[in-house]
Amino acid sequence: MRVEVLASVVEKDPHKLTEDMHIETDAVIVNQCGHYGVETFEHKGRNVRIFHMAERGVGLSRNTALMRADGDICLFSDQDIVYEKGYEQKILQAFEACPKADMIVFNIEVGEARRTYHNGTVKRVRWYNCGRYGAVSFAVKREKLLESGVTFSLLFGGGAKYSAGEDSLFLKEFMDKGYQVYTSPVVIGREREGDSTWFSGYHEKFFFDRGVLYHFLYGPLAKLWGFRFLFVHREKMCQEISLREAYRIMKKGIGSR
């Protein structure tokens, strides 16, 4: 079994990036940079393939990487991820210990303000909690993913019409196809703090886009789950826009589709 990093990045020097990210495995890096080109080089004895592309969009770039992947386990990544030493072995051991898993969600250490989850044990991911995990925590068996036909949405995420949520939709659709996803308490990397490529505050567009996302994630339960989301995070999210107004905007987004 071989792990391959699939990284979506914007205007980066791929040689420096592999060093900065501490990549120890094979990798496919899609560099959104305004031009086209392909290059290949060795890094620590492993093969790194770079695909420069003019188009922007995290969903498009992740799908582009996935189409070119050939590893047994695909590990999705971003340019601000720094991996732990020996992460490949940790991932392979987790799959060996959980043979039912088609995908495993690992721990990526992030700042307190951006933390949406922390895995303490091995457990099954379900539809009602799939919205908390980011794509950079996903390690998936490539053959199972290709078999499922699931890809990343082009409507959601950085560079798309709606600001975020492509990872949640990807995870839910994969599970809806009958594939099993588990959490792991193992930490495989950390996120370097910096400016987000999509988040610019808890404003009207944030709440509207979240409503659209919840329409696709939760269907008839979208309004209930939307209110629960706002209520739980009201102290952080509802300082400039009231809870009542934020919920009104979310419902507008839910009903727009």
Side-chain angles (χ1 to χ4, degrees), residues 110-122:
V110 301
E112 186 65 33
R114 286 177 51 79
R115 183 178 300 156
T116 58
Y117 78 97
H118 179 77
N119 301 325
T121 60
V122 175

Side-chain angles (χ1 to χ4, degrees), residues 144-156:
K144 294 293 185 180
L145 183 55
L146 294 178
E147 178 183 273
S148 75
V150 174
T151 58
F152 285 92
S153 171
L154 303 185
L155 270 179
F156 294 85

Side-chain angles (χ1 to χ4, degrees), residues 202-242:
Y202 298 110
H203 41 55
E204 184 169 346
K205 179 171 172 53
F206 172 87
F207 295 115
F208 183 88
D209 289 1
R210 181 66 55 156
V212 178
L213 173 63
Y214 274 38
H215 165 82
F216 288 104
L217 278 181
Y218 303 119
L221 296 176
K223 291 181 181 178
L224 176 62
W225 241 243
F227 180 78
R228 177 184 178 276
F229 167 76
L230 289 174
F231 186 79
V232 170
H233 301 287
R234 63 191 183 281
E235 292 185 5
K236 179 171 66 172
M237 296 183 178
C238 299
Q239 295 182 10
E240 296 183 11
I241 297 178
S242 69

Side-chain angles (χ1 to χ4, degrees), residues 70-86:
D70 58 15
D72 301 298
I73 305 292
C74 292
L75 177 63
F76 294 104
S77 189
D78 289 338
Q79 63 195 40
D80 54 358
I81 300 301
V82 180
Y83 287 109
E84 294 282 311
K85 186 176 182 179

Side-chain angles (χ1 to χ4, degrees), residues 82-106:
V82 180
Y83 287 109
E84 294 282 311
K85 186 176 182 179
Y87 66 88
E88 181 176 38
Q89 194 60 31
K90 292 179 181 180
I91 291 169
L92 294 178
Q93 287 174 349
F95 274 98
E96 184 177 352
C98 190
K100 292 182 178 180
D102 300 305
M103 180 193 296
I104 295 180
V105 179
F106 289 91

Side-chain angles (χ1 to χ4, degrees), residues 13-231:
D13 174 351
H15 294 267
K16 183 176 185 302
L17 186 67
T18 53
E19 292 287 350
D20 292 343
M21 293 178 65
H22 297 175
I23 289 177
E24 300 175 345
T25 59
D26 290 347
V28 176
I29 299 175
V30 176
N31 186 30
Q32 302 161 81
C33 59
H35 67 270
Y36 298 98
V38 179
E39 60 179 297
T40 303
F41 61 90
E42 279 196 7
H43 178 72
K44 297 184 178 179
R46 306 299 288 269
N47 188 44
V48 179
R49 290 177 287 154
I50 314 298
F51 296 87
H52 302 285
M53 59 186 290
E55 297 87 356
R56 299 294 177 99
V58 67
L60 176 62
S61 59
R62 292 203 196 284
N63 292 338
T64 299
L66 180 59
M67 289 167 58
R68 290 156 176 80
D70 58 15
D72 301 298
I73 305 292
C74 292
L75 177 63
F76 294 104
S77 189
D78 289 338
Q79 63 195 40
D80 54 358
I81 300 301
V82 180
Y83 287 109
E84 294 282 311
K85 186 176 182 179
Y87 66 88
E88 181 176 38
Q89 194 60 31
K90 292 179 181 180
I91 291 169
L92 294 178
Q93 287 174 349
F95 274 98
E96 184 177 352
C98 190
K100 292 182 178 180
D102 300 305
M103 180 193 296
I104 295 180
V105 179
F106 289 91
N107 281 323
I108 296 286
E109 295 181 343
V110 301
E112 186 65 33
R114 286 177 51 79
R115 183 178 300 156
T116 58
Y117 78 97
H118 179 77
N119 301 325
T121 60
V122 175
K123 62 181 180 181
R124 185 94 174 263
V125 177
R126 303 292 184 176
W127 67 269
Y128 50 81
N129 64 0
C130 67
R132 68 182 63 176
Y133 304 109
V136 297
S137 63
F138 299 171
V140 59
K141 293 178 179 176
R142 184 174 64 89
E143 286 193 3
K144 294 293 185 180
L145 183 55
L146 294 178
E147 178 183 273
S148 75
V150 174
T151 58
F152 285 92
S153 171
L154 303 185
L155 270 179
F156 294 85
K161 182 176 181 179
Y162 302 111
S163 52
E166 80 290 345
D167 34 21
S168 302
L169 291 169
F170 178 87
L171 186 55
K172 183 177 184 297
E173 186 178 353
F174 189 65
M175 293 190 299
D176 285 347
K177 293 290 186 73
Y179 296 91
Q180 297 189 30
V181 180
Y182 285 82
T183 63
S184 170
V186 174
V187 176
I188 60 170
R190 61 179 174 84
E191 179 188 73
R192 285 193 303 267
E193 292 192 23
D195 294 335
S196 172
T197 57
W198 68 268
F199 180 74
S200 58
Y202 298 110
H203 41 55
E204 184 169 346
K205 179 171 172 53
F206 172 87
F207 295 115
F208 183 88
D209 289 1
R210 181 66 55 156
V212 178
L213 173 63
Y214 274 38
H215 165 82
F216 288 104
L217 278 181
Y218 303 119
L221 296 176
K223 291 181 181 178
L224 176 62
W225 241 243
F227 180 78
R228 177 184 178 276
F229 167 76
L230 289 174
F231 186 79

